[in-house]
């Protein structure tokens, strides 16, 4: 998985490495269960991780193992060479999952694993239901940078993603409407994304919100969610091939509230999942 230059040398000091939030540790037979992993598909919600696991099992013809480990924080399933796992909402939760799943795969001696986050987002100037495959992750300042607080100091990391993988996934979309574009990752759903419908009176006006969203659109941002920059930075630092595939639930140039029905919402999310499943099928069968 990881080269010696990025694998954390401090871990050598540990007798047992407890992957606390997954409820697993490196004394278990991780190699037996996970060595053949080639794709890790990640979802915000545990329910989506479970549904995807079942769908992948049916479409790829593998049995679904899991949930493996504990389920208080994350839910993890194994379907042949695919892991389906939830990461919770936002970058802090996602980063915990990324560290632990990567350690798990390193202990399992898995090789050439691609990480794919499959989620939902707010579109910027695109129709609800459109699937956006990220070319570049930008922060709230519209920079291709992830700012992380470490030892009380802000560190800035680049947010490079593998565009070859993004293009291959796009080719697997078939008749599902999918596009390539930049994704903004934010630390909040409401004021962090310039919404006017949070609980508190925002300190900005409707015109300022529109000006901000239009500026984002001008530099090529097609969607906004809450994980992109941390995901891209982690993959880039670890030298893991990564992609983000999100279904837009609304057009933020038109509305703030998500009012699509439960079924339509599930349908949007399924489109993003199906695009990725088509891609995985083509890699497994090809
Ligand atoms: N997820 C987000 O982060 N924002 C949206 O607008 C929709 C889904």
């Amino acid at each position: 998985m990881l080269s010696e230059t990025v694998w954390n040398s401090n871990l050598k000091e540990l007798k047992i490495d407890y992957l606390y939030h997954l409820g697993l540790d490196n004394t278990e037979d991780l190699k037996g269960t996970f060595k053949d992993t080639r794709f890790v598909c990640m979802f915000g919600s545990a329910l989506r991780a479970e549904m995807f696991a079942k769908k992948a099992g049916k479409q790829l013809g593998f049995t679904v193992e899991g949930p493996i480990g504990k389920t208080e924080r994350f839910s993890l399933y194994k379907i042949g060479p695919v892991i389906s796992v939830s990461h919770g909402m936002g970058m802090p939760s996602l980063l915990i999952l990324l560290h632990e799943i990567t350690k798990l795969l390193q202990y399992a001696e898995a090789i050439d694993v691609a990480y794919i986050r499959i989620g939902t987002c707010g579109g910027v100037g695109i129709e609800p239901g459109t699937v956006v495959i990220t070319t570049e992750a930008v922060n709230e300042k519209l920079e291709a940078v992830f700012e992380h607080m470490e030892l009380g100091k802000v560190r800035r990391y680049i947010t490079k993603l593998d565009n070859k993988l993004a293009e291959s996934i796009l080719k697997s979309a078939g008749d599902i409407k999918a596009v390539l574009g930049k994704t903004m990752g934010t630390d909040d759903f409401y004021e962090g994304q310039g919404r006017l419908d949070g609980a508190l009176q925002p300190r900005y006006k409707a015109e300022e919100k529109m000006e901000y969203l239009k500026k984002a659109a001008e530099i090529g941002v097609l969607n906004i969610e809450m994980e992109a920059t941390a995901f891209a930075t982690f993959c880039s630092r670890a030298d893991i091939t990564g992609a983000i595939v999100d279904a837009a639930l609304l057009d933020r140039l038109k509305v703030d509230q998500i009012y699509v029905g439960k079924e339509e919402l599930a349908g949007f999310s399924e489109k993003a999942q199906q695009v990725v499943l088509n891609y995985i099928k083509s890699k497994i069968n090809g």
Side-chain angles (χ1 to χ4, degrees):
M1 269 299 284
L2 301 186
S3 70
E4 266 191 34
T5 51
V6 291
W7 178 237
N8 184 359
S9 60
N10 296 312
L11 296 172
K12 274 192 225 126
E13 314 294 322
L14 300 179
K15 257 201 194 123
I16 301 176
D17 190 357
Y18 295 101
L19 310 176
Y20 170 70
H21 303 85
L22 290 176
L24 298 167
D25 69 63
N26 67 339
T27 65
E28 298 174 60
D29 182 18
L30 299 179
K31 211 167 150 182
T33 314
F34 295 105
K35 186 174 165 49
D36 64 347
T37 305
R38 285 180 57 202
F39 306 94
V40 179
C41 297
M42 303 173 196
F43 303 85
S45 99
L47 186 64
R48 278 192 208 143
E50 184 185 351
M51 304 299 276
F52 182 81
K54 287 183 180 154
K55 209 184 308 174
K58 256 195 209 144
Q59 293 192 23
L60 305 176
F62 295 103
T63 47
V64 178
E65 294 171 62
I68 300 172
K70 67 181 189 188
T71 53
E72 286 98 317
R73 300 294 181 187
F74 305 126
S75 288
L76 188 155
Y77 300 84
K78 176 97 182 347
I79 316 99
V82 179
I83 284 177
S84 178
V85 64
S86 62
H87 59 65
M89 256 195 289
M91 305 201 215
S93 181
L94 171 73
L95 281 171
I96 295 169
L97 186 268
L98 285 170
H99 279 283
E100 292 188 11
I101 199 85
T102 305
K103 291 203 282 180
L104 178 149
L105 291 170
Q106 182 82 354
Y107 292 128
E109 296 177 20
I111 41 171
D112 276 342
V113 183
Y115 285 6
I116 307 176
R117 187 186 111 71
I118 305 164
T120 53
C121 62
V124 181
I126 57 173
E127 239 178 80
T130 307
V131 173
V132 180
I133 306 160
T134 306
T135 52
E136 185 173 74
V138 298
N139 62 19
E140 298 93 330
K141 298 177 194 166
L142 304 179
E143 304 166 322
V145 168
F146 172 54
E147 292 191 331
H148 197 221
M149 187 71 88
E150 295 168 18
L151 305 182
K153 294 195 185 100
V154 178
R155 280 201 184 271
R156 289 165 63 85
Y157 293 98
I158 55 158
T159 55
K160 215 165 127 265
L161 275 168
D162 185 328
N163 282 354
K164 259 201 239 144
L165 177 59
E167 278 157 26
S168 303
I169 293 175
L170 179 70
K171 281 193 196 129
S172 304
D175 45 17
I176 297 170
K177 189 168 177 199
V179 289
L180 293 175
K182 293 186 190 179
T183 299
M184 190 200 301
T186 70
D187 270 333
D188 172 40
F189 181 85
Y190 285 98
E191 291 167 349
Q193 296 186 3
R195 280 189 156 79
L196 294 166
D197 62 343
L200 305 177
Q201 183 64 37
R203 290 182 167 185
Y204 46 82
K205 303 223 163 23
E207 307 81 67
E208 291 172 282
K209 162 199 152 178
M210 284 315 292
E211 202 183 305
Y212 176 66
L213 292 178
K214 282 183 180 159
K215 200 166 136 205
E218 269 165 31
I219 67 142
V221 170
L222 288 190
N223 63 337
I224 308 175
E225 41 93 294
M226 293 188 285
E227 287 84 14
T229 44
F231 178 88
T233 287
F234 189 95
C235 291
S236 162
R237 282 182 68 194
D239 202 17
I240 290 169
T241 306
I244 305 169
V245 182
D246 285 325
L249 304 182
L250 72 167
D251 180 358
R252 289 299 318 287
L253 296 182
K254 296 190 177 139
V255 287
D256 284 347
Q257 294 239 317
I258 300 172
Y259 52 77
V260 284
K262 214 173 156 190
E263 271 174 33
E264 201 180 1
L265 201 73
F268 288 170
S269 167
E270 273 167 25
K271 283 186 191 182
Q273 295 179 24
Q274 194 54 52
V275 171
V276 174
L277 267 176
N278 293 348
Y279 169 75
I280 292 176
K281 251 187 268 176
S282 75
K283 288 317 254 185
I284 290 177
N285 300 332

